[in-house]
Each structure stands twice: as C-alpha cells, then as structure tokens.
Amino acid sequence: MPKDVHEDLLNDQHGSVSIIFAVALVVILVVSGAAIDLVRQHSVQSQLQAAVDAAALSAASNSGSDTERQTAAKAAFAANSAGINDVTLDPVAVSVAGGTISVKATGALKTSFMSLAGINAIPLNALAESATSDSADMEVALVVDVSGSMGNFMGSKDRIEVLKDSAQNLLDTLSSNGSD
C-alpha cells in the first residue's frame, strides 16, 4: 500500500533551510533599510541644526529691532535649509525676548525603506538660542609667540618688536572706534 502523500510532505526535510532563509532575508532587508533611513535622518538633522544655528547667530549679530532680527533669522534659515532634500519643513519659529533669540524648526523626513513597514516619515526638531548684546564692550585676547624664532630680524627690528608695534596699532585702532 502506498504511503500517504500528506505524510510524505510532512516528513520531508529537503528545502527547510530555504524557507527559514527566505523569512530571515525579509527581516534582514527591512532592518538594513531602516538603518539607511536612520543614517539619512541623522545627516538631515545635522543640516537642519546647522541652518537653525546660522539663523540664531544671524539674528544675534543684527543690531536692528526685534522685527528686523526675526527677518534676518528667517532669511538665514531659508538660505541654509534650501539644500535639504526629502524633507517637509514647518515654518521656522523665531522669538526675541529678554536679550535671547530662539529659533526652532520642525519637520519630517520622508522615509525610503521604513515606509515598507508603515513608517512614512521621521520627525525632525532643531532648536538654537543666542544671546544678544546692545553693549559696545569688547574683550580682545592676543596670543603671542615668544619662542626663539621671534628674535630673528625683519628689516631693522627683530620680530618681537614688530609684533609689539602691531599689537599697539590694533589697540589704537579699536580705541579710536569707541571701544576702550
């Protein structure tokens, strides 16, 4: 009497590794794709943070009104974020309060591989703050080379004397512009 066909199929172990490999391959591809999307997210996050930092510094260096500072921040953000691809950015938020400028940007990065798992976007957030100063006070520090090479001559003076004269000229120039 011939064996039952179903029993033969259940007992046959040929090709069982192929099934396990096929299932594992799908998992490996999804995880690899997620890693690629997360690396892209890290790169785009860095670009977004750099754009927000530039906006905050631009606003802080602007000596105009709060509205002018906000306009400068938005313009700097627009210029620095123009090259960020596959991102939907919300309008940048700029606030000026109490000598502090805050710039916040949010958005979402469209995923390439994680969308296969139902994750279509990764959220992005960047925040930068910068202090403003209406004071004209400035502090300058000079680092001076006093090694043996400064004893060599430049024309009729040695290099250290030329350095001292140059430093004094710098201080005179800064003092004549209203800084002491």
Side-chain angles (χ1 to χ4, degrees):
M1 176 172 205
K3 290 186 178 181
D4 187 40
V5 175
H6 296 291
E7 188 176 321
D8 286 344
L9 289 175
L10 289 175
N11 291 330
D12 188 10
Q13 294 185 3
H14 291 94
S16 61
V17 173
S18 300
I19 295 171
I20 293 171
F21 179 75
V23 171
L25 183 62
V26 170
V27 172
I28 289 169
L29 290 175
V30 168
V31 170
S32 297
I36 290 170
D37 280 340
L38 291 174
V39 167
R40 284 182 52 238
Q41 184 264 342
H42 179 71
S43 174
V44 169
Q45 179 69 38
S46 295
Q47 291 174 314
L48 184 63
Q49 187 63 52
V52 168
D53 289 344
L57 291 174
S58 176
S61 66
N62 187 316
S63 60
S65 67
D66 289 353
T67 303
E68 290 172 331
R69 287 180 170 173
Q70 288 175 334
T71 302
K74 289 178 181 180
F77 179 79
N80 286 289
S81 65
I84 302 175
N85 299 322
D86 295 330
V87 175
T88 303
L89 292 175
D90 300 328
V92 64
V94 180
S95 64
V96 181
T100 301
I101 296 171
S102 297
V103 180
K104 182 177 182 181
T106 58
L109 171 67
K110 297 174 192 167
T111 60
S112 299
F113 296 99
M114 292 172 67
S115 61
L116 299 173
I119 301 171
N120 296 320
I122 301 172
L124 299 169
N125 295 300
L127 174 67
E129 290 185 340
S130 182
T132 62
S133 175
D134 294 330
S135 172
D137 292 340
M138 179 186 341
E139 186 173 323
V140 177
L142 297 175
V143 179
V144 179
D145 177 13
V146 292
S147 65
S149 67
M150 294 302 285
N152 296 340
F153 283 89
M154 289 184 71
S156 63
K157 293 184 176 180
D158 62 0
R159 290 183 179 177
I160 196 74
E161 292 302 319
V162 172
L163 176 67
K164 288 178 184 177
D165 292 342
S166 298
Q168 187 61 52
N169 287 339
L170 173 66
L171 293 175
D172 292 343
T173 301
L174 292 176
S175 294
S176 68
N177 288 333
S179 299
D180 292 325

